[in-house]
Amino acid sequence: MTTKKRICTVIIVLVIVCTVCVGGFFVWKKTGKGGSKSSQKVYVQKVSSLNTASDFKLSNRSFLGVVEAQESVDVKYDSSKTVAEILVKNGDSVKKGDKLLTYDVEAINLQLEQAKLEVERLQNEIASNKSQIAELEKEKKNADQDAAVSYTTQILSLQSDNAKNEYDIKAKNVEIKKLEASTKNAYVTASIDGTVKNVKTVDKLQQDGGDVIMQITEEGDYRIKGRFNEQNSKDIMQGASVIVKSRLDDSTWKGEITSVDTSPQKNSGDDIYSFGSSDEMSQSSNYAFYVKPENFDGLMLGQHVLIEIDNGQDTSINKTGIWLYSDFICKDGKKNYVWAKDKDGKIEKRYVEIGQKDEDNGDCEIKSGLEKGDYIAYPDKSIEEGMTATTNEADVSVPPNDLGTDDNSDGDTEGGDEDIAFDGSDEDGMAIDEDMLASMTDEEIEEYFNKLYGEEENAENADGENADAADADAAFAE
């Protein structure tokens, strides 16, 4: 072979190699990362497992309760005093602080005068004893040794009497203060609002004995006693609104916690927090709280109920059918769609109709376009129609939860869907999630940025390779 033929052969081979390389690049560029779209796998999940309507319940802790008689308070009187007048009768309604009975002030004043006279007598006795002690001290100085011992004994006896008298004076002064207070407040008042019951006369009291002269029962026939544990005590507070639920049917009653008893209740059995241990340090104490319902229609004494803190359960949306978090909804102009698996197992745009939206929970109703047995993918900028759907996360080519998406809505929407404007595109660039980056390793961050900017770099590289190929063709032409 001549030198000229060898040169021609080399040139032809180089042209073929360059053509193959350039053609291969464009094929790789078009199909995406060296493979066809159909070979790219996208992770999908069943709609029924994502349906927020299936288990939509506000997180409420239920407390056990029982309907019982209203609180009844015993009104006791001071048996050391004389009752002058009972001011109420059975069936009377009273408010806290109302007067129930009065004492005989004259009898109290008489006791007060007697106590003051007793104090005066004791003071005079002390003064007399002190005078005797002083006289004995003088005589003791001139007495012989045997007589001095007798004087000493008399002096010590008088000093002891004075000490006792001084103590009695202090006790009487306390009694005087109480009697003076009794003259100013010579009556007994109600400690709660309620109805007066079981009023006794003074004669009846003397016959029966005891010191309970009447009772006051809170308004209403019933109240609900609830039980809480130290583990959930933070949920119970006076004045909190509650919902009382029947354990027999769907009946409910609204109410309010009127009081909380912080005295530990006696356990009627094994404590659920003790795990079978008899060690009191491993047990948890129970406490009582009391609820006043708005009405008692349908309730009966001894009925067991459930009590929940009212967090607005009754005003929440009644969700039925299919509800999805709004992040799954993409936007195509005025139409809403999701990335769904078609009958052939490929990814497609599935257009859906949106109904109600729950702004607080972040989900929306899917009125049509999806069934509970369908499979959908979480939106990602790299998802395209025709990719293969898979339920195995290990097989995916497209990250199942890449949040690198942009809002590409034109703002012109219909049917109340103006807030769902995600379209999965990246035309305006992607906002970097700093919180997400903070939780990623260096390798994951590098991979994340490669996904963000890799296509631009590939395009630049492709343009450079195209330019190099053009220069090579020109060189061969020359």
Side-chain angles (χ1 to χ4, degrees):
M1 181 180 294
T2 64
T3 302
K4 186 175 182 180
K5 288 182 178 182
R6 291 194 189 96
I7 294 174
C8 289
T9 301
V10 172
I11 292 173
I12 292 171
V13 171
L14 290 174
V15 171
I16 293 172
V17 171
C18 290
T19 302
V20 171
C21 291
V22 173
F25 170 77
F26 281 110
V27 171
W28 179 87
K29 180 69 175 177
K30 185 173 183 180
T31 58
K33 299 185 180 180
S36 64
K37 286 193 290 185
S38 62
S39 66
Q40 302 292 304
K41 295 184 178 181
V42 180
Y43 178 68
V44 292
Q45 302 174 73
K46 200 170 186 177
V47 171
S48 60
S49 66
L50 300 170
N51 187 10
T52 58
S54 60
D55 59 353
F56 182 75
K57 291 181 181 178
L58 288 177
S59 176
N60 284 293
R61 186 183 298 279
S62 294
F63 301 88
L64 297 177
V66 63
V67 180
E68 66 174 25
Q70 283 284 10
E71 179 184 7
S72 183
V73 175
D74 292 337
V75 178
K76 298 181 179 181
Y77 83 107
D78 189 349
S79 57
S80 64
K81 302 176 184 177
T82 302
V83 176
E85 183 181 7
I86 297 176
L87 305 175
V88 294
K89 61 182 181 299
N90 286 329
D92 285 353
S93 293
V94 295
K95 297 292 184 181
K96 183 177 181 179
D98 287 352
K99 295 180 180 180
L100 303 176
L101 61 87
T102 60
Y103 292 116
D104 186 352
V105 178
E106 291 184 4
I108 296 175
N109 287 332
L110 180 59
Q111 293 177 19
L112 180 60
E113 289 299 325
Q114 289 177 344
K116 289 181 177 179
L117 288 174
E118 180 65 14
V119 169
E120 185 177 350
R121 183 188 69 80
L122 293 171
Q123 289 175 339
N124 290 335
E125 186 175 328
I126 290 174
S128 175
N129 289 341
K130 287 183 177 179
S131 296
Q132 292 184 48
I133 291 173
E135 188 65 29
L136 291 171
E137 290 286 355
K138 290 180 181 179
E139 294 177 2
K140 178 183 175 181
K141 292 180 180 178
N142 300 321
D144 56 22
Q145 186 174 0
D146 292 337
V149 173
S150 176
Y151 284 118
T152 300
T153 301
Q154 295 180 59
I155 292 171
L156 291 176
S157 177
L158 292 171
Q159 289 176 340
S160 176
D161 290 342
N162 279 352
K164 181 180 180 298
N165 289 339
E166 287 175 355
Y167 174 81
D168 290 341
I169 288 173
K170 289 181 180 179
K172 282 295 179 180
N173 284 332
V174 171
E175 181 181 344
I176 289 172
K177 288 181 180 180
K178 288 182 178 181
L179 290 170
E180 288 175 342
S182 295
T183 58
K184 295 177 182 178
N185 301 297
Y187 46 80
V188 175
T189 59
S191 58
I192 61 171
D193 298 348
T195 302
V196 177
K197 294 182 179 180
N198 302 324
V199 178
K200 295 182 179 180
T201 64
V202 176
D203 292 339
K204 182 65 174 175
L205 274 175
Q206 292 175 350
Q207 292 176 10
D208 297 343
D211 57 358
V212 177
I213 195 167
M214 68 183 74
Q215 292 178 322
I216 300 177
T217 301
E218 283 187 320
E219 294 292 350
D221 294 328
Y222 305 129
R223 64 176 177 174
I224 298 175
K225 179 180 180 180
R227 187 180 70 179
F228 68 97
N229 190 276
E230 64 188 56
Q231 307 292 330
N232 47 42
S233 58
K234 67 181 185 304
D235 297 326
I236 301 298
M237 62 187 69
Q238 186 173 350
S241 298
V242 299
I243 296 176
V244 179
K245 295 185 175 182
S246 172
R247 298 175 68 177
L248 305 175
D249 50 37
D250 295 331
S251 301
T252 60
W253 299 264
K254 285 185 175 268
E256 178 182 325
I257 296 177
T258 56
S259 62
V260 180
D261 187 354
T262 56
S263 300
Q265 303 289 303
K266 292 182 179 180
N267 291 329
S268 58
D270 292 336
D271 189 272
I272 60 173
Y273 294 96
S274 65
F275 302 100
S277 172
S278 60
D279 181 8
E280 64 178 12
M281 299 305 292
S282 65
Q283 296 181 357
S284 182
S285 298
N286 293 316
Y287 304 88
F289 65 96
Y290 298 92
V291 172
K292 181 180 181 181
E294 292 179 351
N295 65 79
F296 286 88
D297 297 341
L299 287 171
M300 55 187 177
L301 189 64
Q303 180 177 343
H304 288 80
V305 295
L306 295 175
I307 305 170
E308 291 182 358
I309 302 300
D310 188 354
N311 291 318
Q313 299 93 307
D314 288 355
T315 61
S316 61
I317 299 174
N318 183 20
K319 299 183 179 181
T320 59
I322 298 175
W323 284 69
L324 295 176
Y325 285 111
S326 301
D327 291 344
F328 282 92
I329 312 302
C330 303
K331 201 74 179 173
D332 186 1
K334 295 182 179 180
K335 296 181 179 180
N336 297 296
Y337 72 90
V338 295
W339 291 113
K341 183 178 103 172
D342 64 15
K343 61 181 180 178
D344 297 322
K346 303 299 182 183
I347 294 295
E348 68 172 357
K349 277 187 179 181
R350 181 79 59 82
Y351 291 96
V352 295
E353 181 184 359
I354 304 299
Q356 302 179 78
K357 290 183 293 182
D358 185 346
E359 302 294 348
D360 294 333
N361 201 48
D363 55 352
C364 60
E365 179 187 16
I366 307 298
K367 297 183 68 175
S368 64
L370 276 181
E371 301 293 336
K372 292 182 180 180
D374 289 337
Y375 288 81
I376 61 174
Y378 193 91
D380 181 83
K381 64 173 184 174
S382 55
I383 296 179
E384 297 181 25
E385 289 189 285
M387 292 182 173
T388 300
T390 179
T391 56
N392 187 357
E393 290 188 73
D395 294 340
V396 299
S397 305
V398 176
N401 286 306
D402 187 351
L403 301 181
T405 52
D406 287 331
D407 185 348
N408 195 32
S409 171
D410 57 7
D412 186 12
T413 59
E414 296 179 349
D417 301 333
E418 62 272 14
D419 294 334
I420 303 174
F422 175 77
D423 65 355
S425 67
D426 194 31
E427 296 178 7
D428 297 328
M430 178 186 297
I432 298 175
D433 190 334
E434 296 181 358
D435 292 335
M436 184 176 68
L437 292 180
S439 64
M440 298 168 64
T441 63
D442 293 341
E443 292 76 7
E444 290 172 337
I445 293 175
E446 182 178 357
E447 181 181 356
Y448 177 75
F449 278 104
N450 285 339
K451 290 175 183 175
L452 283 178
Y453 307 113
E455 291 188 1
E456 295 181 4
E457 294 176 359
N458 288 340
E460 293 175 358
N461 293 337
D463 291 341
E465 292 180 5
N466 289 339
D468 293 340
D471 292 341
D473 290 341
F476 287 130
E478 293 176 359

